[in-house]
Amino acid sequence: MTAPVPAEDSISAGGPAPAAENNPLRRYSLDELRLRTSSKWTAYPPDVLPLWIAEMDVPVAEPVVRAVAEAMERGDTGYADGREYARALDVFARERWGWDGVVAERSAIVTDVMHGAVEILKLITRPGDAVVVNPPVYPPFYAFVEHMDRRIVEAPLDRAGRIDLDVLETACREAVAGGRRAAYLLCSPHNPTGTVHTAQELAAVADVTNRHGVRVVVDEVHGPLVLPGARFVPYLSVPGAEGAFSLMSAAKGWHLAGFKAALAVAGPAAAADLARLPGEVSHGPSHLGVLTHTAALLHGGAWLDTVLTALDGSRRLLGDLLSQHLPEVGYAPPQASYLAWLDCRALGLGDDPAAAFLERGRVAVNGGTAYGTGGAGHVRLNFATAPEILAEGVERMRKALPLA
């Protein structure tokens, strides 16, 4: 690695970081990680350092490994049943968030969060109806919505990366013009900015959407990954959210994207809508996915805490590295997850700096233009990796600059 790595005490400035031997982000060397066959490690040539897609460079939690091994030993590889998954999420939500809104009778297993959101949107909107989103936002919000013949109405985040209620109100008014149905696809915590919406903000969202008759569907997949200093508030727990839907999963929190499974959870006033979900939708989740997510939620709390501590250190390390090597880059440390939204407009790399970082620096990050309005000149960087790898990535980005 060419970039210097800050001393361990500088990495942990502002709070304790796990010792190297206990830091799950230090478990694998770069050579070991390159043995993985997931898309993070195979989409680009071997000389490219991948800091893009939302996968963590961590070992799998031991309770999850044990659940898979035991299922294999007993030949338990049939079709999925989501009842235990809902029970596990209920236990986790009560313990972590103080929320008791995951009710089995108002829950259904779905393939993953995005496919679940699509199925819910099919229940509450018709072709040609509008779906409101808050750009810059996770690109599949655009792709999936447009593929199902709904139209996007943007309500951009404000300059601080938070929901602008006046802009949201205008978007909702536009979405229901002419008496059309409409939905609001909310990302909470927000991807790519890492913003954690407060209880007050979410209650205000419920008020605005209810006044305009806009149904709310919330992607809360990053909920378990809220970092120290912030608190996750499930949308269905706020006043006025009784008619909304949440999509939840252990996929991001426990590095389980390869085990397809998620839960659609309906508020009390949305239960009848969820009951109309076609039975075949529940055929998509993997049985092993349900088993692993259930094990993670019930028995993976200690593992998650260790990961959150490591990610807290990594987000601060990234800030130190950027200040040292790329001080022109705008960076607000995320409140949740392991995705950094970097403002690279001052670097002179145009609307798509990710292309320059890849071509000249051989480091892969996500280009911001796919995230909608406000994404040009930005990139999304995954910092869920070893400090040495993160330092190398920032150094490669520096070398991609025109005068470097």
Side-chain angles (χ1 to χ4, degrees), residues 85 108-113 247-250 260-264 285 290 293:
Y85 192 177
I109 52 171
V110 292
T111 305
D112 57 29
V113 163
L247 283 305
M248 294 184 168
S249 169
K260 289 287 190 180
L263 280 169
V290 169
H293 290 223

Side-chain angles (χ1 to χ4, degrees), residues 134 141 163 184-188 197 202 205 216-219 235:
N134 298 124
F141 277 28
I163 297 170
Y184 173 30
L185 186 53
L186 172 63
C187 196
S188 179
H197 310 305
L202 295 175
V205 164
V216 179
V217 181
V218 192
D219 170 356
Y235 182 75

Side-chain angles (χ1 to χ4, degrees), residues 180-239:
R180 300 296 297 262
R181 296 183 181 184
Y184 173 30
L185 186 53
L186 172 63
C187 196
S188 179
H190 195 84
N191 176 4
T193 62
T195 302
V196 175
H197 310 305
T198 67
Q200 292 76 16
E201 288 171 325
L202 295 175
V205 164
D207 178 64
V208 169
T209 53
N210 285 338
R211 282 192 283 105
H212 293 281
V214 175
R215 302 293 295 277
V216 179
V217 181
V218 192
D219 170 356
E220 296 185 309
V221 71
H222 291 277
L225 287 170
V226 170
L227 300 172
R231 183 176 73 90
F232 175 67
V233 178
Y235 182 75
L236 295 182
S237 71
V238 303

Side-chain angles (χ1 to χ4, degrees), residues 19-402:
E21 63 272 18
N22 297 322
N23 185 341
L25 296 175
R26 289 183 178 268
R27 171 62 177 78
Y28 300 110
S29 69
L30 183 58
D31 287 341
E32 289 172 321
L33 289 167
R34 290 199 182 280
L35 297 176
R36 292 184 174 183
T37 58
S38 63
S39 61
K40 177 177 181 179
W41 296 96
T42 58
Y44 294 96
D47 67 320
V48 172
L49 194 65
L51 300 178
W52 63 295
I53 200 169
E55 298 181 20
M56 293 191 285
D57 296 346
V58 294
V60 177
E62 191 277 333
V64 173
V65 174
R66 186 169 66 248
V68 174
E70 291 176 354
M72 292 297 182
E73 288 173 0
R74 62 177 178 260
D76 188 5
T77 55
Y79 297 104
D81 181 333
R83 287 173 292 183
E84 285 302 301
Y85 192 177
R87 186 181 73 83
L89 181 57
D90 175 47
V91 171
F92 182 84
R94 289 171 186 265
E95 293 179 350
R96 291 277 170 155
W97 305 325
W99 178 55
D100 61 358
V102 182
V103 178
E105 292 74 22
R106 298 201 308 268
S107 304
I109 52 171
V110 292
T111 305
D112 57 29
V113 163
M114 267 321 302
H115 284 91
V118 166
E119 294 298 335
I120 297 299
L121 289 171
K122 288 179 180 177
L123 295 176
I124 60 177
T125 64
R126 301 186 181 101
D129 287 342
V131 177
V132 177
V133 301
N134 298 124
V137 72
Y138 184 48
F141 277 28
Y142 290 91
F144 279 74
V145 167
E146 291 168 353
H147 181 71
M148 59 187 294
D149 195 24
R150 271 64 170 175
R151 55 190 174 90
I152 292 285
V153 174
E154 292 190 329
L157 300 175
D158 66 17
R159 296 182 65 180
R162 309 204 73 87
I163 297 170
D164 187 318
L165 294 172
D166 291 334
V167 171
L168 178 62
E169 179 122 33
T170 299
C172 287
R173 188 179 298 115
E174 176 185 341
V176 298
R180 300 296 297 262
R181 296 183 181 184
Y184 173 30
L185 186 53
L186 172 63
C187 196
S188 179
H190 195 84
N191 176 4
T193 62
T195 302
V196 175
H197 310 305
T198 67
Q200 292 76 16
E201 288 171 325
L202 295 175
V205 164
D207 178 64
V208 169
T209 53
N210 285 338
R211 282 192 283 105
H212 293 281
V214 175
R215 302 293 295 277
V216 179
V217 181
V218 192
D219 170 356
E220 296 185 309
V221 71
H222 291 277
L225 287 170
V226 170
L227 300 172
R231 183 176 73 90
F232 175 67
V233 178
Y235 182 75
L236 295 182
S237 71
V238 303
E242 295 80 7
F245 301 86
S246 169
L247 283 305
M248 294 184 168
S249 169
K252 291 295 186 288
W254 285 267
H255 180 50
L256 297 175
F259 287 96
K260 289 287 190 180
L263 280 169
V265 182
D273 288 314
L274 187 65
R276 296 188 289 110
L277 195 70
E280 59 268 22
V281 171
S282 67
H283 297 171
S286 154
H287 177 50
L288 287 178
V290 169
L291 292 178
T292 58
H293 290 223
T294 299
L297 291 164
L298 288 178
H299 308 298
W303 181 94
L304 178 63
D305 289 336
T306 302
V307 168
L308 292 175
T309 300
L311 293 177
D312 184 30
S314 289
R315 67 172 168 172
R316 285 180 276 112
L317 171 60
L318 177 59
D320 293 342
L321 291 168
L322 291 170
S323 295
Q324 180 180 357
H325 298 291
L326 293 168
E328 303 90 350
V329 171
Y331 168 59
Q335 297 175 298
S337 198
Y338 45 84
L339 304 170
W341 186 239
L342 305 182
D343 184 350
C344 302
R345 288 175 291 181
L347 298 180
L349 299 176
D351 287 348
D352 187 16
F357 293 143
L358 178 60
E359 180 181 355
R360 299 200 292 264
R362 308 308 288 165
V363 58
V365 292
N366 295 99
T369 55
Y371 293 77
T373 297
H378 293 69
V379 301
R380 192 190 75 170
L381 181 147
N382 178 348
F383 58 81
T385 192
E388 298 82 0
I389 294 175
L390 187 58
E392 171 72 9
V394 173
E395 173 65 7
R396 290 188 183 203
M397 291 167 67
R398 185 192 67 80
K399 289 181 177 180
L401 300 185

